[in-house]
Amino acid sequence: MGAGDKVLIMDNGGWQLKVGYSTQASPSILPNYMTKSKAERGKLFTCDEVDNIRDLSGLYYQLPFQKGFLVNWDIQRTVWDHVFTKKFNVDYSSTTLLVTEPHFNFTSIQNSMNEIFFEEYQFAALHRTTATSLAASKFYLDSGREKSCIVIDSGYSFTHVVPYINRHRFRPGVVRLEIGGKMLTNYLKDVISYRQLHVLDETHVMNQCKEDCCFVSTDFTRDMRVCQSSPAENTIARDYILPDYLEIRRGYIRGKDEARGDQQMIRLNNERFSIPELLFSPSDVGINQAGVAECVSVAANACDSIHRPDLFANIVLIGGNAAFPGFKQRVENEVRRNVNSLLGVGVHLAPNPSTYAWKGGQMVAQSADFASRVVTRKQYLEKGSHYCNEKFDVG
């Protein structure tokens, strides 16, 4: 791989793609799905073409990822074609691709990725890794001194808690919590549909509602009491104005001084914090798993005791769910409660946790040893997928 080759970084999430060249200041955030609209029957919208849909109510989604793994290659290839051709006009023969994949990815999926990127697209070189590894790399480079950390990646399908020791992932300590943004949105749809208004078909609208209204409670019992108080004392309840796609394109929280109009709205009370609470109390919906804070202790305790002070002192939060207000403080409070008082607890939240892994990929791509981390197309054609899987060691 020549030193002048371009590097395209693609954080390939289950709901969104974060894509951009290593020379860009920030990535493009693009939908990773195809959609159909009730208002425009017979037409299929790919990736960011969803922005061209006039009425975003009742969208039907076709997702390449199911339960956190890439299973529908036809949809994924269509999205990638759109991104590579229409958004970035990629010259494959002179471009290196840095792409993320899930933890514990299946070998069959990894082989298919190698085949598609090298044989169909014919990229000059490839580097496969995980979002948490990129985030850990950026954290190490930013801090300049730490050797061990725990990365919490709470994304669309899963929440992973991953310990890194001496800059390497400690695989036996990786913990997966089967809760992500998709489950939270679906739970919000169920609760609102049961209590107020049928919104089971309104995934797009309710996902935006979740992002606009929800927060993580640092004292669940106290906040529940506030929600049960009189309207004058209830500081949590809010009205959410739903979009009509005529005058209102995106829903919003009605201001306290804003007069009630004819718009359709839903009232959010304890739903604002009881939905994200699933991340910390999965048993609320019958999931027999530990919450995020307990997963941190499980991950750290799987490592040698000499590394635990560093691990607890350097907890890094990434992923879309980390952007919930109160998430950082709740993680810090609960981890502090679970560990020895002699150990320090430090939780680090990036200004934009959704793009932190991509920024890490940018730093990796610009590092002096990046050329030694990639597999070139020539090496793939000579040695096959087995060589790639050994080189990247993502599973």
Side-chain angles (χ1 to χ4, degrees):
M1 187 182 70
D5 288 345
K6 294 175 288 187
V7 180
L8 183 68
I9 304 162
M10 181 168 69
D11 184 1
N12 198 62
W15 181 251
Q16 289 180 329
L17 300 168
K18 280 72 72 176
V19 193
Y21 287 106
S22 59
T23 52
Q24 293 179 210
S26 59
S28 298
I29 301 177
L30 304 167
N32 191 14
Y33 50 74
M34 300 173 70
T35 52
K36 289 182 179 179
S37 169
K38 290 180 179 179
E40 301 176 58
R41 295 184 182 278
K43 192 172 182 181
L44 203 56
F45 298 86
T46 302
C47 194
D48 62 342
E49 290 177 349
V50 67
D51 296 334
N52 300 328
I53 301 175
R54 294 189 299 273
D55 187 343
L56 294 169
S57 60
L59 292 183
Y60 171 72
Y61 290 92
Q62 296 181 5
L63 299 165
F65 279 74
Q66 294 295 334
K67 296 185 178 180
F69 296 101
L70 208 174
V71 295
N72 194 318
W73 290 100
D74 290 336
I75 294 173
Q76 188 64 90
R77 268 194 297 247
T78 303
V79 173
W80 284 344
D81 287 345
H82 178 88
V83 172
F84 295 153
T85 305
K86 295 185 178 180
K87 303 300 292 184
F88 288 92
N89 192 25
V90 176
D91 178 7
Y92 303 108
S93 63
S94 63
T95 302
T96 296
L97 179 66
L98 191 162
V99 63
T100 63
E101 60 179 292
H103 288 277
F104 310 119
N105 203 7
F106 296 102
T107 302
S108 59
I109 297 176
Q110 294 175 331
N111 291 339
S112 296
M113 291 178 73
N114 296 332
E115 180 181 335
I116 289 170
F117 291 136
F118 279 127
E119 297 185 23
E120 292 189 24
Y121 292 116
Q122 299 187 8
F123 277 98
L126 174 69
H127 179 64
R128 285 192 288 103
T129 185
T130 62
T132 58
S133 292
L134 296 180
S137 296
K138 178 165 174 57
F139 179 72
Y140 288 137
L141 290 168
D142 286 346
S143 63
R145 65 185 190 280
E146 309 298 350
K147 292 185 177 181
S148 301
C149 70
I150 289 179
V151 180
I152 301 176
D153 181 7
S154 188
Y156 177 69
S157 303
F158 298 128
T159 296
H160 284 104
V161 180
V162 187
Y164 286 84
I165 297 173
N166 296 327
R167 300 177 179 258
H168 295 285
R169 179 185 64 158
F170 184 65
R171 194 176 190 278
V174 179
V175 182
R176 171 182 289 168
L177 173 61
E178 307 277 340
I179 296 178
K182 179 180 181 179
M183 178 176 285
L184 300 184
T185 299
N186 288 339
Y187 186 42
L188 179 61
K189 289 194 300 181
D190 289 342
V191 170
I192 297 299
S193 296
Y194 178 75
R195 295 177 180 176
Q196 298 184 55
L197 180 70
H198 181 79
V199 292
L200 291 178
D201 296 330
E202 304 298 337
T203 300
H204 185 81
V205 175
M206 297 313 295
N207 191 64
Q208 291 180 336
C209 176
K210 177 194 73 177
E211 293 173 352
D212 294 342
C213 300
C214 287
F215 66 92
V216 173
S217 172
T218 54
D219 189 334
F220 188 83
T221 304
R222 178 201 63 198
D223 287 341
M224 284 297 290
R225 283 199 299 266
V226 172
C227 289
Q228 295 166 358
S229 62
S230 65
E233 297 175 339
N234 188 342
T235 57
I236 292 175
R238 293 288 187 275
D239 291 327
Y240 189 75
I241 307 295
L242 298 174
D244 57 14
Y245 299 109
L246 295 173
E247 297 179 354
I248 304 172
R249 179 79 177 168
R250 180 185 175 114
Y252 64 93
I253 299 175
R254 185 176 71 90
K256 290 192 173 183
D257 299 327
E258 182 180 344
R260 283 178 176 263
D262 297 330
Q263 307 100 330
Q264 192 172 33
M265 69 177 70
I266 54 177
R267 187 158 182 82
L268 296 169
N269 196 19
N270 62 37
E271 299 88 354
R272 293 187 64 199
F273 58 88
S274 62
I275 302 301
E277 185 67 20
L278 296 189
L279 291 166
F280 297 89
S281 302
S283 58
D284 288 354
V285 289
I287 297 177
N288 188 25
Q289 283 189 286
V292 170
E294 289 84 357
C295 288
V296 171
S297 296
V298 171
N301 290 332
C303 305
D304 193 282
S305 59
I306 196 172
H307 300 296
R308 290 173 197 162
D310 264 353
L311 291 171
F312 285 121
N314 299 287
I315 300 171
V316 184
L317 307 179
I318 66 169
N321 298 324
F324 281 128
F327 186 86
K328 175 181 180 290
Q329 190 62 48
R330 177 71 175 272
V331 170
E332 190 169 355
N333 291 350
E334 293 206 356
V335 172
R336 173 72 278 166
R337 193 160 53 238
N338 292 340
V339 304
N340 190 304
S341 60
L342 298 177
L343 296 177
V345 173
V347 181
H348 308 269
L349 176 64
N352 189 340
S354 293
T355 60
Y356 191 77
W358 186 92
K359 291 281 190 181
Q362 184 180 45
M363 298 179 80
V364 168
Q366 294 172 351
S367 63
D369 66 339
F370 181 62
S372 65
R373 302 189 188 189
V374 306
V375 171
T376 64
R377 185 166 184 268
K378 181 181 179 182
Q379 289 173 324
Y380 167 78
L381 294 175
E382 290 176 353
K383 303 179 182 180
S385 273
H386 180 68
Y387 176 74
C388 296
N389 296 339
E390 285 186 341
K391 178 95 171 179
F392 301 138
D393 188 29
V394 176

